[in-house]
Amino acid sequence: MDHAAARPYRSSRAAAPLSGHVAVPGDKSISHRALMFGALAIGETRITGLLTGEDVLRTAGAMRALGAEVTRDPDGIWRVAGRGIGGLTEPADVLDMGNSGTAARLLCGILATHPLFAVMTGDASLRSRPMRRVTEPLAATGARFATRAGGRLPLAIEGAADALPLDYRVPVPSAQVKSAVLLAGLNAPGITRVEEPEATRDHSENMLRHFGATVTVETAGHGRIITLVGQPELRAADVVVPGDPSSAAFPMVAALLVPGSRLTIPAVGLNPLRTGLFTTLLEMGADIVVQNHRLEGGEPVGDLVASHGALRAVDVPPERAPSMIDEYPILAVAAALANGTTRMRGLKELRVKESDRLAATAALLSVNGVKVEIEGDDLIVHGTGGAPAGGGTVVTHMDHRIAMAALVLGLVTQAPVTADDAGFIETSFPDFIGLMNGVGASLAAV
Ligand code: S3P
């Protein structure tokens, strides 16, 4: 999504407590996978609660361009008529994955073992992100990739006709790389094996099983070894997408920080590989209660109730990073209001997200009067224990989570905080501004 014009927004100190319900949209990771796996299955997959953010719409568009029929009913249920494994057809044009690293990298996995030619690009943010982490392992299937310098998009791919299965140890903790390798394995004979040094979100493994594939998972230290039996017959399966915990993080932290607030966020996904932020906030003394813990569509789900209260600083260990990788910008905002100094360790991967999130998060805080330091791969936030000065303009670098974190910060600073472009919030949480204003925030276009 390259914007014609930036959409600056300003967030002002909440005059009254935030209260009510915030229904967050469907999980982004699960939404991408539901569309992709539906396109590779035989039969019609029905998806309830799909995120209709820009990132996921890009995946829907790509699956259509590859021959699957993807439609949305008036009641919001999505239907995917799949082509079967190996059944995708050559796209007539360039596949534009917009801002979405997940869409681009998982699709590279699928295309690596389809004997067709495709070209993929994205917006300026995605075109700056590293793709070699997928193209290098995927080339061992027999697929051929040509990329721009530095392994960047646009890239061209010629999928393997007689693909080889991969046996790969993922060098960085990345669910995207793991998933790309597993997806390539769907159309390769024999066993695909992936070893990850630290466990990352396992939505691909869970959903592949749900569609009928044989997947085994063994724990190995902090990590896991995953095997997939190639060339299964994937059968269409209905998917219920839980609320995205990474989106819930923003109203939840807003409720913790704005005095007197209490917000309920229903039906949030609580997959244990996604809940590192909740663990950390509870360690900080946050008042978060999970109600109605249940299983929906094979994923644990609960209603979160978050209430305002004082927070204390914590030391966040590096091994927690994979389970809260997208939550550091909003955790840093919580840390800015806490008593004491918070250290978040081992954030190397943040440098290759939609923006360099380590630098962008530090800048977000420092321009608003919070003292921060980056030491190696650690982020250190000196909590003010009260309202930071604010008054700064945050450069969001085409990054939805930097924009939302900035707007939450502005609810509790002395002077308003401006996000230079709130447009990218559309990628993951299209109604963020409306929902936040509906529970008492004052976010306004500048
Ligand atoms: C995702 C994995 C994470 C995360 C991204 C979504 C996924 O990326 O940051 O927002 O759906 O697999 P990495 O796997 O590269 O860490």
Side-chain angles (χ1 to χ4, degrees):
M1 185 167 61
D2 280 314
H3 282 287
R7 300 201 335 236
Y9 259 76
R10 181 169 301 144
S11 171
S12 307
R13 187 167 189 152
L18 306 180
S19 78
H21 283 63
V22 180
V24 295
D27 189 276
K28 184 154 69 71
S29 294
I30 295 176
S31 294
H32 284 299
R33 288 161 173 81
L35 291 169
M36 289 179 183
F37 296 2
L40 293 171
I42 299 288
E44 184 183 87
T45 287
R46 288 165 14 117
I47 311 167
T48 308
L50 188 88
L51 167 65
T52 52
E54 181 74 17
D55 277 14
V56 174
L57 296 178
R58 294 288 176 168
T59 290
M63 299 330 287
R64 277 191 199 110
L66 290 162
E69 217 177 279
V70 182
T71 53
R72 183 180 184 275
D73 290 350
D75 62 2
I77 291 183
W78 286 68
R79 293 173 191 270
V80 184
R83 305 285 308 204
I85 286 171
L88 299 179
T89 49
E90 187 167 278
D93 204 347
V94 172
L95 301 169
D96 185 346
M97 307 323 293
N99 193 249
S100 177
T102 306
R105 296 202 179 103
L106 269 56
L107 199 53
C108 279
I110 292 173
L111 294 175
T113 55
H114 272 78
L116 48 83
F117 174 78
V119 178
M120 191 187 291
T121 191
D123 69 14
S125 157
L126 186 55
R127 279 184 273 116
S128 74
R129 297 178 66 185
M131 296 298 287
R132 209 174 266 149
R133 53 177 57 199
V134 288
T135 59
E136 211 167 75
L138 291 172
T141 61
R144 296 198 308 158
F145 291 90
T147 68
R148 213 155 53 85
R152 318 275 153 172
L153 294 180
L155 64 72
I157 174 167
E158 229 177 316
D162 293 303
L164 297 170
L166 301 176
D167 182 344
Y168 189 62
R169 185 174 198 278
V170 184
V172 289
S174 169
Q176 293 180 358
V177 177
K178 169 179 66 177
S179 300
V181 170
L182 288 172
L183 287 174
L186 285 174
N187 199 26
I191 303 289
T192 289
R193 184 177 174 280
V194 193
E195 198 177 331
E196 53 178 355
E198 288 171 70
T200 63
R201 65 188 72 191
D202 57 359
H203 305 302
S204 295
E205 296 88 312
N206 296 343
M207 207 183 289
L208 280 169
R209 282 205 195 97
H210 185 58
F211 278 78
T214 303
V215 176
T216 66
V217 180
E218 253 176 76
T219 49
H222 285 300
R224 293 182 167 188
I225 297 167
I226 301 116
T227 65
L228 166 79
V229 179
Q231 297 178 322
E233 177 120 324
L234 287 193
R235 290 179 307 272
D238 290 351
V239 178
V240 179
V241 183
D244 197 325
S246 299
S247 296
F250 296 97
M252 185 171 72
V253 169
L256 300 179
L257 299 185
V258 176
S261 298
R262 181 181 166 90
L263 288 178
T264 300
I265 311 168
V268 178
L270 295 174
N271 179 312
L273 292 166
R274 296 287 299 280
T275 49
L277 176 72
F278 304 153
T279 307
T280 304
L281 290 170
L282 290 173
E283 284 175 5
M284 295 172 83
D287 182 353
I288 303 170
V289 178
V290 182
Q291 297 178 336
N292 303 320
H293 216 283
R294 57 202 185 268
L295 271 182
E296 261 179 24
E299 291 274 349
V301 166
D303 305 330
L304 301 181
V305 183
S307 309
H308 168 256
L311 299 177
R312 53 182 179 269
V314 278
D315 195 307
V316 189
E319 60 274 14
R320 198 175 292 162
S323 68
M324 54 177 297
I325 194 65
D326 291 333
E327 278 65 83
Y328 286 99
I330 192 64
L331 175 63
V333 169
L337 276 279
N339 291 299
T341 299
T342 291
R343 187 173 197 119
M344 302 166 222
R345 298 176 190 270
L347 307 188
K348 188 159 184 243
E349 276 295 298
L350 288 200
R351 296 187 194 274
V352 291
K353 293 297 175 188
E354 285 83 332
S355 65
D356 175 348
R357 266 191 197 152
L358 191 49
T361 302
L364 182 174
L365 294 182
S366 65
V367 78
N368 286 296
V370 180
K371 202 167 154 244
V372 285
E373 290 145 63
I374 296 173
E375 263 183 29
D377 296 328
D378 296 353
L379 180 64
I380 299 153
V381 177
H382 299 274
T384 53
T393 295
V394 173
V395 183
T396 52
H397 299 285
M398 306 176 82
D399 188 331
H400 53 135
R401 300 199 201 280
I402 296 297
M404 288 187 278
L407 295 177
V408 169
L409 178 65
L411 301 176
V412 286
T413 46
Q414 294 164 40
V417 169
T418 304
D420 72 343
D421 189 1
F424 284 86
I425 295 174
E426 300 275 336
T427 61
S428 68
F429 198 160
D431 200 22
F432 173 75
I433 292 185
L435 288 173
M436 292 303 293
N437 284 340
V439 291
S442 40
L443 312 180
V446 179

